[in-house]
Short mmCIF file of all heavy atoms in Angstrom, two decimals:
data_model
loop_
_atom_site.label_atom_id
_atom_site.label_comp_id
_atom_site.label_asym_id
_atom_site.label_seq_id
_atom_site.Cartn_x
_atom_site.Cartn_y
_atom_site.Cartn_z
N GLY L 1 214.07 95.72 76.17
CA GLY L 1 213.51 95.27 77.44
C GLY L 1 214.41 94.34 78.22
O GLY L 1 213.94 93.50 78.99
N GLN L 2 215.72 94.48 78.07
CA GLN L 2 216.61 93.48 78.64
C GLN L 2 216.90 93.65 80.12
O GLN L 2 217.22 92.67 80.81
CB GLN L 2 217.93 93.49 77.87
CG GLN L 2 218.61 94.87 77.83
CD GLN L 2 219.84 94.88 76.96
OE1 GLN L 2 220.70 94.03 77.11
NE2 GLN L 2 219.92 95.83 76.05
N LYS L 3 216.80 94.87 80.63
CA LYS L 3 217.16 95.10 82.04
C LYS L 3 216.15 96.04 82.68
O LYS L 3 215.68 96.99 82.07
CB LYS L 3 218.56 95.71 82.14
CG LYS L 3 219.66 94.86 81.54
CD LYS L 3 220.99 95.59 81.57
CE LYS L 3 222.08 94.78 80.89
NZ LYS L 3 223.38 95.49 80.88
N ASP L 4 215.86 95.78 83.95
CA ASP L 4 214.87 96.60 84.64
C ASP L 4 214.89 96.25 86.12
O ASP L 4 215.46 95.23 86.52
CB ASP L 4 213.47 96.30 84.07
CG ASP L 4 212.45 97.37 84.40
OD1 ASP L 4 212.83 98.38 85.03
OD2 ASP L 4 211.28 97.19 84.04
N SER L 5 214.26 97.12 86.92
CA SER L 5 213.98 96.74 88.29
C SER L 5 212.65 96.00 88.27
O SER L 5 211.95 95.99 87.26
CB SER L 5 213.93 97.98 89.19
OG SER L 5 213.27 99.03 88.56
N CYS L 6 212.28 95.36 89.38
CA CYS L 6 211.09 94.51 89.33
C CYS L 6 210.36 94.54 90.67
O CYS L 6 210.67 95.35 91.54
CB CYS L 6 211.50 93.08 88.95
SG CYS L 6 210.20 92.12 88.14
N GLN L 7 209.38 93.64 90.85
CA GLN L 7 208.59 93.64 92.07
C GLN L 7 209.47 93.47 93.29
O GLN L 7 210.34 92.62 93.33
CB GLN L 7 207.54 92.52 92.05
CG GLN L 7 206.52 92.65 90.95
CD GLN L 7 206.79 91.66 89.85
OE1 GLN L 7 207.86 91.69 89.26
NE2 GLN L 7 205.83 90.81 89.58
N GLY L 8 209.21 94.27 94.31
CA GLY L 8 210.00 94.21 95.54
C GLY L 8 211.07 95.26 95.61
O GLY L 8 211.66 95.49 96.66
N ASP L 9 211.37 95.92 94.48
CA ASP L 9 212.41 96.95 94.45
C ASP L 9 211.86 98.34 94.73
O ASP L 9 212.62 99.30 94.83
CB ASP L 9 213.12 96.96 93.10
CG ASP L 9 213.98 95.74 92.91
OD1 ASP L 9 214.53 95.24 93.90
OD2 ASP L 9 214.11 95.27 91.77
N SER L 10 210.54 98.47 94.82
CA SER L 10 209.93 99.78 95.04
C SER L 10 210.55 100.49 96.23
O SER L 10 210.85 99.89 97.26
CB SER L 10 208.43 99.62 95.29
OG SER L 10 207.73 99.58 94.09
N GLY L 11 210.72 101.80 96.08
CA GLY L 11 211.29 102.60 97.16
C GLY L 11 212.79 102.61 97.19
O GLY L 11 213.40 103.40 97.92
N GLY L 12 213.42 101.74 96.40
CA GLY L 12 214.87 101.65 96.38
C GLY L 12 215.50 102.74 95.54
O GLY L 12 214.82 103.51 94.86
N PRO L 13 216.84 102.82 95.55
CA PRO L 13 217.53 103.92 94.89
C PRO L 13 217.88 103.67 93.43
O PRO L 13 218.16 102.55 93.01
CB PRO L 13 218.82 104.03 95.71
CG PRO L 13 219.09 102.61 96.14
CD PRO L 13 217.74 101.98 96.35
N LEU L 14 217.87 104.76 92.67
CA LEU L 14 218.49 104.82 91.36
C LEU L 14 219.59 105.86 91.50
O LEU L 14 219.31 107.03 91.80
CB LEU L 14 217.50 105.24 90.28
CG LEU L 14 218.08 105.30 88.85
CD1 LEU L 14 218.35 103.89 88.33
CD2 LEU L 14 217.13 106.05 87.91
N ILE L 15 220.84 105.45 91.34
CA ILE L 15 221.97 106.34 91.64
C ILE L 15 222.82 106.57 90.40
O ILE L 15 222.79 105.79 89.45
CB ILE L 15 222.85 105.76 92.77
CG1 ILE L 15 223.44 104.40 92.34
CG2 ILE L 15 222.04 105.61 94.06
CD1 ILE L 15 224.48 103.84 93.32
N ALA L 16 223.59 107.66 90.43
CA ALA L 16 224.51 107.97 89.34
C ALA L 16 225.81 108.49 89.93
O ALA L 16 225.81 109.16 90.97
CB ALA L 16 223.90 109.01 88.41
N GLU L 17 226.90 108.19 89.25
CA GLU L 17 228.21 108.62 89.72
C GLU L 17 228.45 110.09 89.36
O GLU L 17 228.19 110.51 88.23
CB GLU L 17 229.30 107.75 89.10
CG GLU L 17 230.69 108.02 89.65
CD GLU L 17 231.73 107.10 89.03
OE1 GLU L 17 231.87 107.11 87.78
OE2 GLU L 17 232.40 106.36 89.77
N ARG L 18 228.96 110.84 90.32
CA ARG L 18 229.31 112.24 90.07
C ARG L 18 230.70 112.31 89.45
O ARG L 18 231.61 111.61 89.89
CB ARG L 18 229.28 113.05 91.37
CG ARG L 18 227.95 113.01 92.06
CD ARG L 18 227.80 114.06 93.14
NE ARG L 18 228.83 114.01 94.16
CZ ARG L 18 228.65 114.45 95.41
NH1 ARG L 18 227.47 114.94 95.78
NH2 ARG L 18 229.62 114.39 96.29
N LYS L 19 230.85 113.13 88.44
CA LYS L 19 232.13 113.22 87.74
C LYS L 19 233.22 113.85 88.60
O LYS L 19 234.38 113.46 88.52
CB LYS L 19 231.96 114.04 86.45
CG LYS L 19 231.07 113.36 85.42
CD LYS L 19 230.93 114.21 84.17
CE LYS L 19 230.04 113.54 83.14
NZ LYS L 19 229.86 114.35 81.91
N GLN L 20 232.84 114.83 89.44
CA GLN L 20 233.86 115.60 90.14
C GLN L 20 234.59 114.82 91.23
O GLN L 20 235.76 115.04 91.48
CB GLN L 20 233.26 116.88 90.74
CG GLN L 20 232.21 116.66 91.84
CD GLN L 20 230.81 116.59 91.32
OE1 GLN L 20 230.59 116.14 90.20
NE2 GLN L 20 229.84 117.04 92.12
N ASP L 21 233.90 113.89 91.88
CA ASP L 21 234.56 113.18 92.99
C ASP L 21 234.33 111.67 92.99
O ASP L 21 234.73 110.98 93.93
CB ASP L 21 234.10 113.77 94.34
CG ASP L 21 232.58 113.72 94.50
OD1 ASP L 21 231.91 113.05 93.69
OD2 ASP L 21 232.07 114.36 95.44
N LYS L 22 233.65 111.16 91.95
CA LYS L 22 233.41 109.72 91.80
C LYS L 22 232.52 109.15 92.91
O LYS L 22 232.45 107.93 93.07
CB LYS L 22 234.73 108.93 91.74
CG LYS L 22 235.65 109.35 90.62
CD LYS L 22 235.00 109.20 89.26
CE LYS L 22 235.94 109.60 88.12
NZ LYS L 22 235.29 109.49 86.80
N ARG L 23 231.88 110.01 93.67
CA ARG L 23 230.90 109.53 94.63
C ARG L 23 229.53 109.48 93.95
O ARG L 23 229.35 109.98 92.85
CB ARG L 23 230.88 110.43 95.87
CG ARG L 23 232.10 110.22 96.76
CD ARG L 23 231.91 110.89 98.10
NE ARG L 23 232.27 112.30 98.05
CZ ARG L 23 231.88 113.19 98.96
NH1 ARG L 23 231.09 112.82 99.95
NH2 ARG L 23 232.25 114.45 98.87
N TYR L 24 228.57 108.88 94.63
CA TYR L 24 227.26 108.65 94.01
C TYR L 24 226.18 109.52 94.62
O TYR L 24 226.19 109.79 95.82
CB TYR L 24 226.88 107.17 94.13
CG TYR L 24 227.67 106.30 93.19
CD1 TYR L 24 228.97 105.91 93.49
CD2 TYR L 24 227.14 105.89 91.97
CE1 TYR L 24 229.72 105.14 92.62
CE2 TYR L 24 227.87 105.12 91.09
CZ TYR L 24 229.16 104.74 91.42
OH TYR L 24 229.89 103.98 90.54
N GLU L 25 225.25 109.93 93.77
CA GLU L 25 224.12 110.71 94.25
C GLU L 25 222.82 110.04 93.83
O GLU L 25 222.77 109.31 92.83
CB GLU L 25 224.17 112.15 93.73
CG GLU L 25 224.12 112.31 92.23
CD GLU L 25 224.30 113.77 91.81
OE1 GLU L 25 224.76 114.58 92.63
OE2 GLU L 25 223.98 114.09 90.64
N LEU L 26 221.79 110.32 94.58
CA LEU L 26 220.48 109.71 94.35
C LEU L 26 219.71 110.52 93.32
O LEU L 26 219.45 111.70 93.52
CB LEU L 26 219.70 109.67 95.67
CG LEU L 26 218.30 109.06 95.62
CD1 LEU L 26 218.40 107.56 95.37
CD2 LEU L 26 217.56 109.34 96.93
N ILE L 27 219.36 109.89 92.21
CA ILE L 27 218.63 110.63 91.17
C ILE L 27 217.20 110.15 91.03
O ILE L 27 216.36 110.86 90.47
CB ILE L 27 219.35 110.54 89.81
CG1 ILE L 27 219.30 109.13 89.23
CG2 ILE L 27 220.80 111.00 89.95
CD1 ILE L 27 219.81 109.03 87.80
N GLY L 28 216.88 108.96 91.53
CA GLY L 28 215.52 108.44 91.39
C GLY L 28 215.16 107.48 92.50
O GLY L 28 216.02 106.91 93.15
N VAL L 29 213.85 107.31 92.69
CA VAL L 29 213.31 106.32 93.63
C VAL L 29 212.45 105.36 92.81
O VAL L 29 211.58 105.78 92.04
CB VAL L 29 212.44 107.00 94.71
CG1 VAL L 29 211.86 105.94 95.65
CG2 VAL L 29 213.25 108.02 95.50
N VAL L 30 212.71 104.07 92.94
CA VAL L 30 211.96 103.07 92.17
C VAL L 30 210.47 103.24 92.45
O VAL L 30 210.03 103.17 93.60
CB VAL L 30 212.40 101.64 92.54
CG1 VAL L 30 211.59 100.62 91.73
CG2 VAL L 30 213.89 101.46 92.28
N SER L 31 209.69 103.46 91.39
CA SER L 31 208.28 103.80 91.58
C SER L 31 207.33 102.80 90.92
O SER L 31 206.65 102.06 91.60
CB SER L 31 208.01 105.21 91.05
OG SER L 31 206.67 105.59 91.23
N TRP L 32 207.30 102.77 89.59
CA TRP L 32 206.33 101.89 88.95
C TRP L 32 206.78 101.51 87.54
O TRP L 32 207.82 101.96 87.06
CB TRP L 32 204.95 102.53 88.88
CG TRP L 32 204.86 103.78 88.04
CD1 TRP L 32 205.17 105.05 88.42
CD2 TRP L 32 204.43 103.87 86.68
NE1 TRP L 32 204.97 105.93 87.38
CE2 TRP L 32 204.51 105.24 86.30
CE3 TRP L 32 203.98 102.95 85.73
CZ2 TRP L 32 204.15 105.70 85.03
CZ3 TRP L 32 203.63 103.40 84.47
CH2 TRP L 32 203.70 104.76 84.13
N GLY L 33 205.99 100.69 86.89
CA GLY L 33 206.27 100.27 85.53
C GLY L 33 205.29 99.20 85.11
O GLY L 33 204.65 98.57 85.96
N ASN L 34 205.13 99.00 83.85
CA ASN L 34 204.26 97.95 83.33
C ASN L 34 205.07 96.68 83.19
O ASN L 34 205.81 96.49 82.23
CB ASN L 34 203.66 98.36 81.98
CG ASN L 34 202.50 97.47 81.59
OD1 ASN L 34 202.32 96.39 82.16
ND2 ASN L 34 201.71 97.89 80.62
N GLY L 35 204.93 95.81 84.19
CA GLY L 35 205.71 94.59 84.19
C GLY L 35 207.17 94.84 84.51
O GLY L 35 207.53 95.87 85.06
N CYS L 36 208.02 93.92 84.13
CA CYS L 36 209.46 94.04 84.37
C CYS L 36 210.21 93.76 83.07
O CYS L 36 210.05 92.69 82.48
CB CYS L 36 209.92 93.04 85.43
SG CYS L 36 209.07 93.19 87.01
N ALA L 37 211.00 94.73 82.63
CA ALA L 37 211.83 94.58 81.43
C ALA L 37 211.02 94.22 80.19
O ALA L 37 211.50 93.53 79.30
CB ALA L 37 212.93 93.53 81.67
N ARG L 38 209.79 94.70 80.13
CA ARG L 38 208.98 94.46 78.92
C ARG L 38 209.39 95.44 77.83
O ARG L 38 209.73 96.59 78.10
CB ARG L 38 207.50 94.66 79.23
CG ARG L 38 206.88 93.62 80.14
CD ARG L 38 205.39 93.85 80.25
NE ARG L 38 204.76 92.93 81.19
CZ ARG L 38 203.46 92.94 81.48
NH1 ARG L 38 202.65 93.81 80.89
NH2 ARG L 38 202.96 92.08 82.34
N VAL L 39 209.35 94.97 76.60
CA VAL L 39 209.66 95.83 75.46
C VAL L 39 208.65 96.98 75.42
O VAL L 39 207.45 96.75 75.51
CB VAL L 39 209.64 95.03 74.14
CG1 VAL L 39 209.80 95.96 72.95
CG2 VAL L 39 210.73 93.96 74.15
N GLY L 40 209.15 98.18 75.30
CA GLY L 40 208.28 99.35 75.21
C GLY L 40 207.90 99.96 76.54
O GLY L 40 207.23 100.99 76.58
N TYR L 41 208.34 99.34 77.63
CA TYR L 41 207.97 99.84 78.96
C TYR L 41 209.20 99.95 79.87
O TYR L 41 209.51 99.03 80.63
CB TYR L 41 206.94 98.91 79.61
CG TYR L 41 205.61 98.86 78.92
CD1 TYR L 41 205.26 97.77 78.13
CD2 TYR L 41 204.70 99.91 79.04
CE1 TYR L 41 204.02 97.71 77.49
CE2 TYR L 41 203.47 99.87 78.41
CZ TYR L 41 203.14 98.77 77.64
OH TYR L 41 201.92 98.71 77.00
N PRO L 42 209.90 101.08 79.82
CA PRO L 42 211.04 101.27 80.73
C PRO L 42 210.56 101.45 82.17
O PRO L 42 209.37 101.68 82.42
CB PRO L 42 211.68 102.55 80.19
CG PRO L 42 210.54 103.30 79.57
CD PRO L 42 209.66 102.24 78.96
N GLY L 43 211.49 101.35 83.10
CA GLY L 43 211.15 101.58 84.49
C GLY L 43 210.91 103.07 84.74
O GLY L 43 211.55 103.93 84.13
N VAL L 44 209.99 103.37 85.65
CA VAL L 44 209.67 104.76 85.97
C VAL L 44 210.05 105.02 87.42
O VAL L 44 209.69 104.25 88.32
CB VAL L 44 208.18 105.07 85.74
CG1 VAL L 44 207.92 106.55 85.95
CG2 VAL L 44 207.77 104.65 84.33
#
């Protein structure tokens, strides 16, 4: 539970680097979770 997004981050981007050109693409939108960085509860 060491790292997570938290309140106020909703709607923001989760991005990943593309191998072919080192540019970034959007893979997720911050949605919900039980608390922030709690053990057993990853960000969704």
Side-chain angles (χ1 to χ4, degrees):
Q2 55 186 309
K3 300 175 184 178
D4 197 3
S5 41
C6 207
Q7 297 105 300
D9 290 327
S10 274
L14 181 71
I15 62 172
E17 186 179 57
R18 301 194 304 206
K19 294 180 180 179
Q20 65 269 31
D21 57 11
K22 302 301 181 181
R23 286 192 276 162
Y24 286 80
E25 62 185 16
L26 180 69
I27 69 171
V29 179
V30 179
S31 181
W32 63 277
N34 194 345
C36 303
R38 291 185 184 179
V39 174
Y41 294 104
V44 186

